[in-house]
Amino acid sequence: MKARHVKLYDANPDILNLLSNRKIQVSVMVPNNEISNIAVNRRAAEEWVRNNVLPYLPKTKIRYLLVGNEVLSSYSEQGRQMWRDLVPAMQMIKRSLKALNISSIKVGTPLAMDVLESTFPPSRGMFRYEIRDNVIIPLLNFLNRTKSFFFIDVYPYFPWSQNPYNISLDFALFRGGLSIRDPGSALVYTNLLDQMLDSVIFAMSKLGFSNIPLAISETGWPNSGDIDEPGANIFNAATYNRNLIQRMTTNPPLGTPARPGVPIPTYIFSLFDENQKPGPGTERHWGLLHPDGTPVYQIDLTGKSAAADFGPLPPPKNNVPYKGRVWCVAVKGANAMELEAALTYTCNQSNVNCDGLAPGRECYEPVSIAAHASYVFSSYWSKFRSQGATCYFNGLAQQTTSNPSRGPCKFPSATL
């Protein structure tokens, strides 16, 4: 695939060994659950670097060491403790690298766009109040002092899919045809990614840090998803990623309106579809490759191929949000024992009424695990969807627009 950089979410020894003696530059990650210990324990920091970095140098070209992943997006008590421990852990890791005479590795941390409380227009970009003074300013001081990058996970898909009638899909996919002027800065934007990146740049500038370089630690577009996730299709995923690559590999660099001509290192999420990942359907469909390694669509990471060099793509069918009723039913061919376990577990949850499945009741027949599980899945999902429930059930369920109700048994549904 001619990738020049790869970002790992751990320090997997098998992968790091396989990447030895190659030109690919590598980013490795300290897991979130190790941050708090490393923050207060220099020996733990040095041990982490000795075990997970030192054995692979210099054959494997490790260039970035990322401490945690989207740490500031967690609001649990443990998560808030990680907020306080993040920069001290980064400092410990940096000291450990220095103690081991490793000077070629930059230390950073990938953050999500939710570190900002305001993103539009970009000139109003501002960090969240509760993290600004005690986390963000120390972080920016560290990045500035060590000449590292502000790593940001930035996905135009999410703001577009949450507001598809007011944000142009072409604007999100770099397809031109629309220019938006920021009234605060007078800068003109032709795509959503630039707007999102510049909101981070303006937020940093307001705190006195106008020169810290940006790196995109994740971006991409889902190639498939659930019925209630518009725009997640192969056509849009290929369009976004191909146009992104063209934009980021242009020489001289394009930069953004706030920083024209400045290159932005960029990682596409992700290499593979993650077919065992829980959550909404899009969570399993960000890959350039299927889990078996075959391509989802043609892509050229070097940016040298023109759009005409690729074959035709399947036309998109879900660029407009679906309107109607949706049910959650068992996947055809799902394992009966797993279905029965999921059915029993769900029925034992509070506020889930499975009385209709009792002998003689309206949903008892047909007497099959799949039919009963479908009724329970649809009941649970339709009731708790607004609270974040997904139609997944460990891969046993899927959404459908075909009404599975039969006779007197009426399946609950979600109305989109």
Side-chain angles (χ1 to χ4, degrees), residues 315-329:
K317 296 180 180 179
N318 64 339
N319 282 349
V320 176
Y322 178 80
K323 296 295 183 184
R325 297 173 68 191
V326 179
W327 292 263
C328 178
V329 298

Side-chain angles (χ1 to χ4, degrees), residues 39-75:
V40 296
N41 189 332
R42 184 164 187 169
R43 180 174 293 181
E46 286 201 14
E47 187 176 330
W48 200 95
V49 174
R50 284 185 184 277
N51 292 340
N52 297 286
V53 177
L54 198 59
Y56 308 102
L57 298 176
K59 289 185 177 181
T60 301
K61 294 179 172 58
I62 299 175
R63 293 292 179 262
Y64 305 111
L65 210 170
L66 303 180
V67 179
N69 188 50
E70 298 189 349
V71 170
L72 302 182
S73 299
S74 174
Y75 286 84

